[in-house]
């Protein structure tokens, strides 16, 4: 198999041909920040926070989509790279609410992590801000577009499942925002509440509505379990606080993995110490249903 030799931050690296600079850096323990990148799901080099400096290159390069090349010399934390990352973070924070103290994503937010890493703070300005809207129409997904950084992860992961593609980019320029179907609220859209978008969102723009407010990231113990509803065996996390399971959330999906609400509900019923009543959409609105109906057991029982 062809191998590539390059140097990253003075360290010789050997990787398989076709590997990206980000992957090469990761192989030697160097963490390059990324907001939009998600391997196998969203590899577009859009956020630019993963830029690196490459000798003889005319400009900084997005490491998540830059193929490693023989003899390449890369710097991941040069002064030019650090300043570029700081400026990107400043621009994102300029249009982001300063509510980290009460945000459910605190402690797991990539934007918070990188702002701390590069000592970037909120700044006062009189520039335009996107109008903040909070969509609570879906009982399973809370959407706050004031926190959205337009990374595109949710759009890409939603489009991976055949005949789903609920989320997409709407409008242009400064007015660009994530829309559901033809810019509907989530509760009125064709969203099936699978939770893929929540599991890949790097900030607090998409939150599991049923877990919101129950525990901060550092308060909850996490245990991985697998769904047994079908052969896919999707991965979920049990969140425990004070010894009790307070919620179940999906982990980041693999490429093309369907991840369904039925599986999520079954894991919730199996492990949650106080599972909430299941809700299903009927005639454009969500109504409480029995666990048998939510899990499709009624149809099975009819056949017996």
């Amino acid at each position: 198999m062809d191998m590539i030799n390059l140097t990253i931050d003075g360290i010789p690296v050997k990787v398989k041909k076709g590997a990206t600079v980000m992957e090469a850096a990761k192989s030697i323990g160097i963490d390059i920040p990324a907001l939009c990148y998600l391997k196998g799901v969203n590899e577009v080099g859009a956020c630019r926070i993963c830029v690196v400096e490459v000798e003889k290159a005319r400009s900084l390069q997005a490491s998540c989509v830059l193929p490693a090349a023989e003899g390449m010399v890369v710097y991941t934390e040069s002064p030019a790279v650090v300043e570029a990352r700081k400026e990107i973070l400043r621009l994102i924070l300029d249009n982001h609410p300063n509510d980290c103290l009460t945000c459910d994503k605190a402690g797991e937010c990539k934007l918070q992590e990188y702002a701390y890493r590069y000592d970037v703070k909120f700044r006062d300005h009189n520039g335009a801000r996107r109008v903040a809207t909070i969509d609570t129409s879906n009982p399973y997904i809370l959407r706050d577009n004031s926190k959205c950084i337009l990374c595109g992860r949710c759009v890409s992961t939603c489009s991976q499942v055949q005949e789903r593609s609920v989320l997409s980019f709407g409008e242009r320029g400064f007015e660009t925002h994530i829309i559901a179907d033809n810019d509907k609220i989530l509760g009125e859209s064709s969203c099936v509440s699978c939770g893929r978008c929540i599991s890949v969102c790097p900030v607090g723009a998409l939150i599991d509505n049923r877990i919101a407010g129950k525990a901060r990231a550092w308060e909850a113990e996490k245990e991985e379990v697998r769904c047994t509803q079908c052969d896919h065996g999707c991965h979920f996390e049990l969140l425990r606080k004070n010894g009790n399971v307070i919620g179940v959330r999906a982990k980041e999906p693999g490429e093309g993995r369907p991840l369904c609400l039925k599986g999520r509900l079954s894991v919730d019923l199996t492990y949650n110490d106080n599972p909430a009543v299941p809700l299903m959409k009927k005639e454009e609105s969500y109504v409480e249903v029995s666990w048998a109906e939510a899990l499709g057991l009624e149809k099975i029982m009819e056949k017996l």
Side-chain angles (χ1 to χ4, degrees), residues 116-143:
Y116 180 82
R117 176 171 167 177
Y118 291 102
D119 193 26
V120 176
K121 298 175 174 61
F122 287 94
R123 56 186 178 181
D124 294 327
H125 69 91
N126 297 318
R129 292 178 181 270
R130 286 193 299 272
V131 177
T133 58
I134 298 178
D135 181 1
T136 59
S137 60
N138 184 311
Y140 295 103
I141 303 173
L142 186 152
R143 183 170 64 154

Side-chain angles (χ1 to χ4, degrees), residues 159-178:
S159 66
Q160 280 194 323
V161 181
Q162 189 174 7
E163 298 180 356
R164 197 162 292 180
S165 300
V166 178
L167 301 177
S168 60
F169 288 97
E171 300 293 345
R172 295 182 179 180
F174 186 73
E175 300 301 324
T176 302
H177 61 284
I178 304 299

Side-chain angles (χ1 to χ4, degrees), residues 4-17:
I4 297 293
N5 294 282
L6 66 158
T7 303
I8 302 179
D9 293 343
I11 303 173
V13 189
K14 179 177 289 188
V15 293
K16 296 177 183 178
K17 185 177 182 180

Side-chain angles (χ1 to χ4, degrees), residues 285-302:
S285 62
Y286 285 87
V287 297
E288 292 185 359
V289 298
S290 67
W291 282 101
E293 183 177 354
L295 299 177
L297 300 179
E298 289 185 346
K299 294 180 180 179
I300 296 176
M301 293 172 66
E302 289 176 359

Side-chain angles (χ1 to χ4, degrees), residues 219-234:
E219 296 176 326
E221 298 178 4
K222 303 174 183 66
E223 177 188 349
E224 185 171 319
V225 296
R226 298 188 71 175
C227 175
T228 58
Q229 287 292 311
C230 73
D231 292 338
H232 286 285
C234 297

Side-chain angles (χ1 to χ4, degrees), residues 11 30 53 56 69 72 86 125 127 205 229 247 267 288 298:
I11 303 173
I30 295 177
E53 186 173 355
K56 299 181 181 180
M72 182 182 279
K86 284 186 173 183
H125 69 91
Q229 287 292 311
V267 176
E288 292 185 359
E298 289 185 346

Side-chain angles (χ1 to χ4, degrees), residues 266-288:
S266 69
V267 176
D268 200 27
L269 177 62
T270 302
Y271 296 99
N272 200 333
D273 291 314
N274 187 28
V277 176
L279 298 162
M280 290 184 66
K281 186 187 287 186
K282 295 185 177 182
E283 297 181 356
E284 303 302 321
S285 62
Y286 285 87
V287 297
E288 292 185 359

Side-chain angles (χ1 to χ4, degrees), residues 206-224:
L206 293 164
I207 295 291
D208 191 315
N209 218 351
R210 294 198 154 191
I211 302 177
K214 290 186 176 181
R216 311 304 295 273
W218 53 88
E219 296 176 326
E221 298 178 4
K222 303 174 183 66
E223 177 188 349
E224 185 171 319

